[in-house]
Amino acid sequence: MHLADAAWPDLEAYFEAESLAIVPLGSTEQHGPHLPLATDHLIAEAFGDEAAERTGYLRVPTVRVGVSPHHRQFPGTAWVDAPVFRDYVESYVRNLAYHGIDRVVFVNAHGGNVQHLREVGRRLRDDDVAYAVEWMWNESIPDLVDDAFEQNGPHAGPKETALIQHLRPDLVHDERLAEARDGGAVDPEASIRTRNGAATFYDTVENSPNGAFGDPTAASAEKGAELFDAASDQLEALCEWLADREWAELRAPERVTSE
């Protein structure tokens, strides 16, 4: 069920019966010369839709702009400051909690959001409002992702390219895949700037001139479909696990005291 598509009497019935919501989150940011700026939120929405279809749990509207200032040199990239993002997402979940939701799966497809969603989850649990867990599709199937491509990449590489080829092939510039590889950071480990154990960069363009990492020419819609189905299995299982937990299991433990 999609919250925005439903009439309120149907939502009232849902909130009486269920306490879990699926919240997709992504970004609107550059993804190399070959992928749309919508890449992350398209991926998050697709996983959210699939999980809602499989489980019957409520999927709420997607947060489409995230923490992306590190991509700001590329035209069109949108972002909000990290404190604003955290406060917005926390307020969003508190709204859901008002209607009876006390557990949330953040279906996140943007690495820049991860630490902030974890912080929001801590705030909500510490305030006894809701238990919110952050989920990233590729982190749920790491071995499959690693085995799928010889030259992978954390951003705008073959794994994301394959998913968009599967989900929205009309938005992929296949004629630019070689350009993305050759003008980007085909070997991320060699390209990402570090010195003496410290990251010596703040922006994507310092590591990849065109914003892509890895070899997207290795991607295909078939590989994207395989990754999507495998990660969807993991998300479905996570939703069912969280829905089955007693609230007492999810609350923060009481302060430990010595006797």
Side-chain angles (χ1 to χ4, degrees):
M1 178 187 291
H2 291 192
L3 182 144
D5 293 342
W8 72 258
D10 304 311
L11 291 167
E12 186 175 45
Y14 179 87
F15 291 132
E16 288 175 353
E18 303 288 353
S19 60
L20 185 141
I22 297 165
V23 182
L25 305 100
S27 67
T28 300
E29 64 181 26
Q30 75 83 21
H31 273 78
H34 60 300
L35 293 178
L37 271 67
T39 290
D40 286 346
H41 71 249
L42 288 175
I43 290 172
E45 283 181 346
F47 279 116
D49 287 343
E50 182 71 12
E53 178 68 24
R54 291 188 184 197
T55 65
Y57 295 125
L58 186 68
R59 197 274 265 179
V60 305
T62 304
V63 178
R64 295 186 172 189
V65 176
V67 183
S68 304
H70 48 294
H71 294 293
R72 68 188 188 277
Q73 288 89 354
F74 296 91
T77 291
W79 72 88
V80 293
D81 291 336
V84 175
F85 177 80
R86 291 193 295 267
D87 289 347
Y88 179 88
V89 175
E90 180 180 352
S91 182
Y92 195 179
V93 176
R94 287 180 182 274
N95 157 218
L96 295 172
Y98 176 84
H99 295 295
I101 296 297
D102 64 12
R103 54 209 74 194
V104 167
V105 177
F106 290 137
V107 178
N108 176 42
H110 173 48
N113 293 340
V114 172
Q115 62 180 311
H116 308 294
L117 294 174
R118 290 287 298 166
E119 173 60 24
V120 169
R122 172 173 288 282
R123 291 183 193 176
L124 293 165
R125 190 182 76 154
D126 287 352
D127 287 351
D128 219 24
V129 172
Y131 187 89
V133 61
E134 185 270 340
W135 179 86
M136 278 278 284
W137 73 270
N138 54 295
E139 294 296 335
S140 75
I141 51 168
D143 293 339
L144 186 60
V145 172
D146 286 344
D147 292 343
F149 310 107
E150 184 176 348
Q151 289 287 356
N152 222 322
H155 182 79
K159 63 186 179 186
E160 289 186 322
T161 301
L163 276 190
I164 298 300
Q165 286 174 327
H166 167 57
L167 298 170
R168 288 295 306 272
D170 57 307
L171 297 180
V172 181
H173 295 274
D174 290 316
E175 75 282 5
R176 299 178 185 168
L177 294 178
E179 174 191 345
R181 176 197 62 201
D182 298 340
V186 67
D187 183 355
E189 290 188 8
S191 300
I192 294 176
R193 291 169 41 182
T194 62
R195 181 176 293 276
N196 304 110
T200 56
F201 64 92
Y202 285 96
D203 294 319
T204 297
V205 73
E206 296 177 81
N207 295 314
S208 172
N210 70 9
F213 294 82
D215 182 6
T217 66
S220 69
E222 292 73 22
K223 288 184 178 179
E226 180 183 5
L227 296 176
F228 184 80
D229 289 343
S232 293
D233 290 344
Q234 297 297 316
L235 178 55
E236 178 184 6
L238 175 62
C239 289
E240 298 293 6
W241 172 85
L242 185 55
D244 287 344
R245 302 279 71 75
E246 295 293 334
W247 178 243
E249 297 178 64
L250 301 173
R251 295 180 63 186
E254 296 296 327
R255 178 172 173 269
V256 177
T257 57
S258 58
E259 296 181 1

